[in-house]
Amino acid sequence: MTVDHAVGHNTLRGITLKIVSVTVFVGMQTCIKAAGDVPAGQIVFFRSFFAIFPIVAFLAFKGELATAFTTRRPFNHIARGVVGVGAMGLGFFALTRLPLPEAITLNYAQPLLVVVFSSVFLGETIRVYRWSAVAVGLAGVLIISWPELTLLNSGESLDDQELLGVMAALIAAAISAVAMLLVRNLVQTEKTATIVLWFSSTASVLSLLTLPFGWQALTPMQAALLVFAGFCGGLGQILMTAAYRHAEASVVAPFEYTSMILGVVVGYFVFGDVTSLNTLIGGVIVVAAGIFIIWRERQLGLERTRTRTAAPPQG
């Protein structure tokens, strides 16, 4: 296999892993929303603690259980855990207060912000075409959230639950983008399952700190839904982390848009959520921006291949 073919194969593998991980995460979100109004910290605990089980099974299958926690970068893992817990808590808060399609679509700000942060923090080269796509995509996010954000200028009470949900979702997207960069940094030296196991363990411990803020007794159905959400979270985390190992963050991230179709379908058939016109229009704009970024990456890859082919041999 040539180097160029290997790179292309790895990129395709990264994209495929991302799409599968998104599908699993939509299943997780569906379970969490179906569980009803549960404190965000309690949801984070179930999502994190029960995610450990599929991770341990994955490690046992690969014969790596004995060295699962072995790392030379514990503080990097803890930092990733702290940031990830913040993003999860806010995201779950939003999920319990917004229709499923809207909660999922607002999260599309995350891959766009990953492109921005990849430039600022990782030094990845982002040219004018991708900057333009990011700007258009963020405009789409604004269209989705505008009906709720305009409540800030109205006479309605500012404790409106959907307004709080929108604000939480947008802040979660920004924090989650930072978490993705920390993952991108960790995969350079750490095993996929080690990253996920450290994250789930750290998040489980941190979420217990929210106990004094009001956990509640769960019905058997709520408990079952949250346990299953945790299993889905663990599997999705493994797949997502592996995706970032095979391709650049700015290439893999835009495939988050595949959750839009699933969100609309599941939201309608499971929760009776009818997607608003703003969400559809804004979602299409954000998806179009993501597709353009992907197309642009492909064009740049072809240009680099042609340049290497045309270059005279050295020596």
Side-chain angles (χ1 to χ4, degrees), residues 2 52 72 103 120-121 159 241 266 306:
T2 64
I52 294 174
R72 294 181 180 178
V120 176
F121 299 116
D159 65 355
T241 306
V266 174
R306 283 195 295 267

Side-chain angles (χ1 to χ4, degrees), residues 22 26 29 104-105 108 255-264:
V22 166
V26 169
Q29 291 169 314
I104 288 176
T105 309
Y108 290 160
F255 281 90
E256 188 74 27
Y257 74 79
T258 54
S259 62
M260 182 179 183
I261 298 172
L262 289 171
V264 170

Side-chain angles (χ1 to χ4, degrees), residues 46-291:
F46 275 85
R47 153 67 179 86
S48 304
F49 180 74
F50 288 98
I52 294 174
F53 293 91
I55 298 168
V56 168
F58 175 73
L59 285 168
F61 175 76
K62 294 188 69 177
E64 298 175 357
L65 198 54
T67 58
F69 264 105
T70 304
T71 181
R72 294 181 180 178
R73 306 173 66 188
F75 294 108
N76 297 73
H77 285 285
I78 293 171
R80 185 266 188 273
V82 171
V83 173
V85 165
M88 272 204 300
L90 287 166
F92 294 157
F93 178 88
L95 186 61
T96 57
R97 285 158 177 80
L98 293 173
L100 184 64
E102 189 172 336
I104 288 176
T105 309
L106 280 174
N107 194 49
Y108 290 160
Q110 185 241 63
L112 297 171
L113 291 172
V114 167
V115 175
V116 177
F117 295 166
S118 293
S119 172
V120 176
F121 299 116
L122 299 184
E124 292 183 11
T125 302
I126 312 295
R127 296 178 174 82
V128 64
Y129 293 100
R130 273 197 288 169
W131 282 126
S132 300
V134 167
V136 170
L138 291 178
V141 172
L142 184 61
I143 290 173
I144 299 165
S145 43
W146 188 253
E148 301 304 332
L149 296 181
T150 49
L151 289 175
L152 291 169
N153 297 320
S154 73
E156 297 188 39
S157 173
L158 292 185
D159 65 355
D160 179 89
Q161 292 300 302
E162 288 203 356
L163 170 60
L164 291 175
V166 168
M167 295 176 71
L170 293 177
I171 296 171
I175 298 174
S176 184
V178 175
M180 290 304 97
L181 297 191
L182 293 175
V183 170
R184 179 67 175 166
N185 177 261
L186 282 168
V187 296
Q188 296 175 15
T189 60
E190 306 293 288
K191 297 176 181 177
T192 297
T194 300
I195 294 171
V196 178
L197 187 59
W198 267 87
F199 172 67
S200 295
S201 302
T202 304
S204 297
V205 173
L206 290 174
S207 63
L208 288 173
L209 298 178
T210 66
L211 260 169
F213 299 99
W215 283 26
Q216 66 187 43
L218 302 175
T219 66
M221 178 57 73
Q222 284 179 314
L225 286 167
L226 292 180
V227 168
F228 188 70
F231 276 96
C232 287
L235 177 59
Q237 201 78 32
I238 291 170
L239 293 166
M240 183 200 70
T241 306
Y244 283 90
R245 184 184 300 279
H246 291 290
E248 283 190 3
S250 54
V251 176
V252 171
F255 281 90
E256 188 74 27
Y257 74 79
T258 54
S259 62
M260 182 179 183
I261 298 172
L262 289 171
V264 170
V265 172
V266 174
Y268 180 76
F269 285 104
V270 178
F271 303 108
D273 294 332
V274 178
T275 309
S276 69
L277 184 60
N278 279 70
T279 300
L280 286 174
I281 293 173
V284 168
I285 291 173
V286 178
V287 167
I291 291 173

